[in-house]
Amino acid sequence: MDEWKDLREADRQVPYARLDLKHRGVRARKFLSRPTLFFRFIHGGRINSIPVHYSIMMELTAKEMEMLRSYLWQDAGGGDPTGVFFPDQTGKAVITAEEDCVLSGIVPAMFLFEEEGCRLERVPGAVDGSLCGAGSEIMTAVGPTASLFKVERTVLNILSRMSGIATMAQEASRLAEEASPGTRVAGTRKTTPGFHLFEKRALIDGGALPHRYDLSSLAMIKDNHLKALGEGAESIAAAVDMIRELRGPYMLIEVEVEDISHGLAAVEAGADIIMFDNMSPRKLKEASEKVREEAERLGRNLTLEASGGITLENLAKYAPHVDVVSMGCLTQKALPKSFKMEYDSNIEICED
């Protein structure tokens, strides 16, 4: 089990796997996430020709625990006047999905219930990243009635938001795989302030890459940087050189380009990732082919990314030309999934 955890953690820590280009004769399966690869190798598991996404129940970081406590405080920090109804009562609460979805948010939900002194009874198979049908019970919490009601809304909000993102991420991953086996889908930094770590978790649970978690995760040279430095090939080379000098060879550098000339300049400058931004599929095809030819001539491995205006509807037109398609809509436009909590006071308390 430790191997699974290590593999999933690796997907969390880097924006993309540093792998050979799929368009250079390398088998496309190498571009699937390492956990997905491992699962297919051992079990041969596939669902409708889509790689099975095996999710590890990733442990919460100290920062995530701190954020979860703050969410609960925002809702219940001033106390709950109805808590006086049942000061010493114990009950049971069952969480049920009201829509088909890809589950995400189980680990944060468990933490919040346990933080308030409740005991969790998980439903087998109801884990982050698993498919869940409408009407399915996903967990049961037993504990002080006041605590169950205190946690209820925060838990349901988290499950709703995260499962919505995971569901859309899985659909995008499926479409990309069908259009171009091995092309990965990624999120962006277009996340909700204060909730971004959990939105990144949800992307992973849906089989997508999280992209960078914050500005420090990867050096991304964007169009506004180049405008400030002075547009042109020279500014791209200068920007890459400055970062290499400051951070050494261990910092990945991505350059955002909007035309072929800047793409070729980024290859020449030694960028690790080139993002083609706001290009039409036809222009992207031309640009990616020329950039790959130049990279091959120089003997450099690159990851090519497309971004800007890409949706579920047009994703298939972009996926064949790049290694990664990043989509802000995965976090900006994912619809929440509905969950409910039902309380039951008729429980049997087992004495240890």
Side-chain angles (χ1 to χ4, degrees):
M1 198 66 186
D2 287 341
E3 289 181 272
W4 287 106
K5 181 178 177 182
D6 291 343
L7 287 164
R8 179 56 67 194
E9 282 295 321
D11 254 4
R12 295 185 70 198
Q13 296 303 320
V14 297
Y16 321 114
R18 297 294 299 278
L19 300 172
D20 293 332
L21 295 174
K22 67 185 175 104
H23 292 276
R24 294 178 125 189
V26 180
R27 295 194 65 170
R29 70 164 187 260
K30 295 183 87 174
F31 275 79
L32 300 172
S33 69
R34 284 160 286 192
T36 304
L37 250 180
F38 200 34
F39 183 82
R40 182 190 290 183
F41 176 74
I42 294 176
H43 300 285
R46 293 179 74 85
I47 298 177
N48 297 325
S49 299
I50 304 303
V52 172
H53 173 65
Y54 186 91
S55 178
I56 294 304
M57 301 287 278
M58 295 183 292
E59 292 184 7
L60 295 168
T61 64
K63 179 62 176 177
E64 288 171 325
M65 293 181 190
E66 178 186 339
M67 292 171 75
L68 287 170
R69 293 186 184 104
S70 75
Y71 301 154
L72 189 58
W73 178 85
Q74 289 169 27
D75 189 48
D80 178 4
T82 63
V84 299
F85 298 160
F86 20 71
D88 302 312
Q89 186 173 323
T90 298
K92 176 174 72 174
V94 179
I95 305 291
T96 304
E98 296 190 289
E99 299 178 64
D100 295 343
C101 64
V102 175
L103 277 180
S104 184
I106 296 292
V107 171
M110 291 171 58
F111 172 81
L112 287 170
F113 276 120
E114 291 172 347
E115 187 80 352
E116 292 300 310
C118 301
R119 174 171 55 85
L120 271 297
E121 299 172 3
R122 277 206 8 243
V123 175
V127 297
D128 287 329
S130 63
L131 299 175
C132 178
S136 300
E137 294 182 3
I138 62 171
M139 72 171 64
T140 299
V142 177
T145 297
S147 295
L148 295 173
F149 292 155
K150 175 182 178 181
V151 172
E152 177 183 4
R153 179 42 52 195
T154 303
V155 163
L156 294 179
N157 286 349
I158 289 171
L159 286 168
S160 174
R161 174 69 175 148
M162 291 182 67
S163 296
I165 292 171
T167 303
M168 190 171 182
Q170 189 192 67
E171 176 65 6
S173 298
R174 181 187 70 79
L175 291 170
E177 176 74 6
E178 287 182 350
S180 176
T183 295
R184 296 296 303 276
V185 167
T188 68
R189 274 177 54 245
K190 294 176 182 176
T191 52
T192 307
F195 199 64
H196 72 289
L197 292 180
F198 299 100
E199 291 174 339
K200 296 293 189 181
R201 274 181 172 262
L203 289 168
I204 295 169
D205 290 335
L209 295 168
H211 212 287
R212 56 179 180 166
Y213 279 74
D214 53 37
L215 288 171
S216 68
S217 301
L218 168 129
M220 182 180 287
I221 301 169
K222 298 175 71 67
D223 58 344
N224 280 331
H225 294 127
L226 297 177
K227 288 176 183 177
L229 288 170
E231 295 189 67
E234 298 80 9
S235 63
I236 292 175
V240 171
D241 287 344
M242 280 189 279
I243 294 169
R244 288 277 185 241
E245 183 176 351
L246 180 66
R247 304 302 293 268
Y250 304 108
M251 171 64 70
L252 284 174
I253 298 176
E254 178 166 9
V255 179
E256 176 186 284
V257 302
E258 296 182 346
D259 57 49
I260 295 173
S261 63
H262 280 183
L264 295 174
V267 177
E268 183 72 29
D272 301 295
I273 306 164
I274 295 177
M275 179 211 287
F276 300 105
D277 191 37
N278 291 311
M279 286 189 179
S280 67
R282 190 168 113 185
K283 185 177 177 182
L284 174 64
K285 181 178 184 295
E286 180 185 2
S288 64
E289 287 174 352
K290 291 190 175 182
V291 165
R292 288 189 195 282
E293 288 173 4
E294 180 67 8
E296 189 166 356
R297 185 183 72 79
L298 295 173
R300 291 184 177 153
N301 285 336
L302 285 175
T303 296
L304 299 188
E305 174 183 352
S307 190
I310 302 175
T311 64
L312 294 180
E313 290 70 31
N314 63 19
L315 172 58
K317 296 179 181 179
Y318 288 87
H321 310 307
V322 291
D323 308 306
V324 179
V325 178
S326 55
M327 305 172 65
C329 64
L330 297 181
T331 47
Q332 288 190 316
K333 297 185 178 180
L335 296 176
K337 296 298 178 179
S338 183
F339 293 82
K340 66 179 180 180
M341 187 183 95
E342 294 185 326
Y343 177 78
D344 184 0
S345 60
N346 298 315
I347 61 170
E348 294 182 7
I349 304 298
C350 298
E351 297 292 339
D352 291 332

